[in-house]
Amino acid sequence: MSSPAQSKKPKGILKKPTEPTTSALVAAAATPAPVSPFPVQESNPAAEKPSARDVAVQQALVIQQQYVLEDQIQDAIIALSYFPLVRAPSYDAANPAPSDADAFRQHVRPFQPGDYEDMIEERNARGLCGFALCPRPRIKLPKGGEYKLVNYGRKDFNIVPRKELERWCSQSCARRAMYVKVQLNETAAWERAGIPSIRIELLDEPKEPTAGGDGNDNAAERLARELRDLQIGKEIKATRDAAGLACERGDATDIQSTRSIDVDIKEKSVIIAPQEPSPATDNEGHLILDGYKTKFDSRSETMTQRSNARDIAAKIDDLFDD
């Protein structure tokens, strides 16, 4: 028989939950909830997770945009191989035409250093100077070694490869071309296509004639032009940033490919039905691998057999001689 102390249940230390009264519920309903300045949207994991097809379409759009930019770079290389477009006595490599300079900056902007080298080689193949704004042909040195002495007897004496000298018409154009090349970025073109701060500067900026005809810009006009360009850059910066982010996300854009390729897929006609390879009947089935039988030169086998027979005959003669 259990004692009264053992039959008594232990008392809990936690407080019992109290049910809210009717007055408390009415007061809570009447109290307005705090309004957040940011809209709160309920998350729906099923709706936020894109399908496999949507992911594939986004990746395909990104790849298509990359192909479009690559096509534009190749077209720019071909276009720059014909520069300058304005060939007049008043314009040269040190003072190019403003239209040619602007077009050159626009074409070179998405270039990488490798693309710029391709443009130089393309111009050299046409016999022109490697600097795109120079109308003169490249120099051709007389026959000699692979290296040439430049400025012999002077402080800037140097030994330069022959091919490097023949890329330009003069050392001045080489400096102008390299001045542009060092401004190019190794980053891929589609990663910096929407950055408005990229600007290509020339070593010799073109001189626009003023109303006075002195051929030089005064400080006031130059300052006004810089302020105008800065204001325009501020207005379009937000739009280009948004376009760049959309390109990174893979959103649909209005960029369309300028080239179309007709692909005609034809099914290969089968004349003979495929057959399972059968083992050979000449006890050489071990030489067949995936239906192909290994072949040996019969003449080499015959020569080997003859040499072996001669060796055996010589050994027999030696035995009998002993």
Side-chain angles (χ1 to χ4, degrees):
M1 184 175 181
S2 61
S3 61
Q6 293 178 353
S7 61
K8 187 178 180 180
K9 296 181 179 180
K11 184 178 180 181
I13 62 175
L14 299 178
K15 295 182 179 180
K16 294 182 180 180
T18 59
E19 297 181 359
T21 60
T22 307
S23 59
L25 293 176
V26 173
T31 303
V35 179
S36 174
F38 302 100
V40 179
Q41 298 179 356
E42 296 183 358
S43 61
N44 189 356
E48 291 178 357
K49 184 178 181 180
S51 62
R53 184 181 183 279
D54 295 338
V55 174
V57 170
Q58 288 184 357
Q59 295 298 325
L61 290 174
V62 172
I63 295 174
Q64 176 64 23
Q65 292 170 4
Q66 294 176 2
Y67 285 156
V68 170
L69 287 175
E70 290 179 357
D71 289 343
Q72 293 177 358
I73 290 174
Q74 297 300 323
D75 294 340
I77 291 175
I78 297 175
L80 290 175
S81 65
Y82 294 92
F83 266 51
L85 302 179
V86 179
R87 298 175 183 263
S90 57
Y91 298 120
D92 56 3
N95 181 30
S99 59
D100 286 342
D102 294 339
F104 174 75
R105 294 191 189 94
Q106 187 68 22
H107 285 312
V108 175
R109 191 172 181 272
F111 276 19
Q112 293 177 285
D115 301 327
Y116 194 75
E117 289 291 335
D118 294 341
M119 184 269 295
I120 295 174
E121 292 182 3
E122 188 71 20
R123 289 182 59 84
N124 292 156
R126 294 177 53 83
L128 298 175
C129 175
F131 184 52
L133 297 177
C134 179
R136 293 184 295 181
R138 64 188 183 97
I139 62 174
K140 293 184 179 181
L141 301 175
K143 295 182 179 180
E146 297 183 0
Y147 295 89
K148 292 293 182 181
L149 305 179
V150 179
N151 300 330
Y152 180 74
R154 295 169 51 181
K155 293 183 179 180
D156 54 350
F157 167 73
N158 195 5
I159 301 176
V160 183
R162 176 193 182 93
K163 295 182 179 179
E164 181 66 22
L165 291 175
E166 292 183 344
R167 301 174 69 188
W168 326 100
C169 65
S170 62
Q171 293 297 319
S172 300
C173 280
R175 286 193 295 270
R176 297 185 185 102
M178 293 299 103
Y179 184 81
V180 175
K181 182 181 177 180
V182 296
Q183 302 178 52
L184 303 179
N185 200 328
E186 290 285 355
T187 308
W190 50 84
E191 296 183 9
R192 49 187 168 84
I195 302 177
S197 59
I198 299 177
R199 177 178 173 81
I200 303 299
E201 297 181 358
L202 302 179
L203 182 61
D204 302 315
E205 291 292 339
K207 303 179 180 60
E208 299 178 359
T210 58
D214 54 355
N216 296 321
D217 291 337
N218 54 42
E221 292 181 355
R222 184 167 59 254
L223 180 59
R225 184 171 61 253
E226 291 178 357
L227 291 176
R228 183 172 61 254
D229 295 341
L230 181 61
Q231 183 65 25
I232 294 175
K234 289 182 179 179
E235 292 177 356
I236 63 177
K237 186 178 186 303
T239 305
R240 289 188 175 181
D241 289 345
L245 292 175
C247 180
E248 293 179 1
R249 291 193 302 266
D251 298 343
T253 58
D254 297 335
I255 301 178
Q256 300 293 335
S257 178
T258 56
R259 298 182 181 179
S260 60
I261 302 176
D262 297 333
V263 180
D264 187 10
I265 302 177
K266 296 182 179 180
E267 185 178 358
K268 183 179 180 180
S269 59
V270 180
I271 301 175
I272 302 175
Q275 299 178 359
E276 183 180 358
S278 59
T281 58
D282 53 355
N283 298 328
E284 294 183 354
H286 62 282
L287 299 177
I288 299 177
L289 179 62
D290 293 339
Y292 176 77
K293 180 181 178 182
T294 306
K295 299 179 182 179
F296 298 95
D297 190 0
S298 59
R299 292 180 300 174
S300 62
E301 293 181 357
T302 305
M303 295 296 294
T304 305
Q305 294 175 359
R306 289 179 181 178
S307 60
N308 294 337
R310 284 196 297 268
D311 295 341
I312 295 173
K315 292 180 179 179
I316 295 175
D317 293 341
D318 293 341
L319 291 175
F320 282 107
D321 291 342
D322 294 341

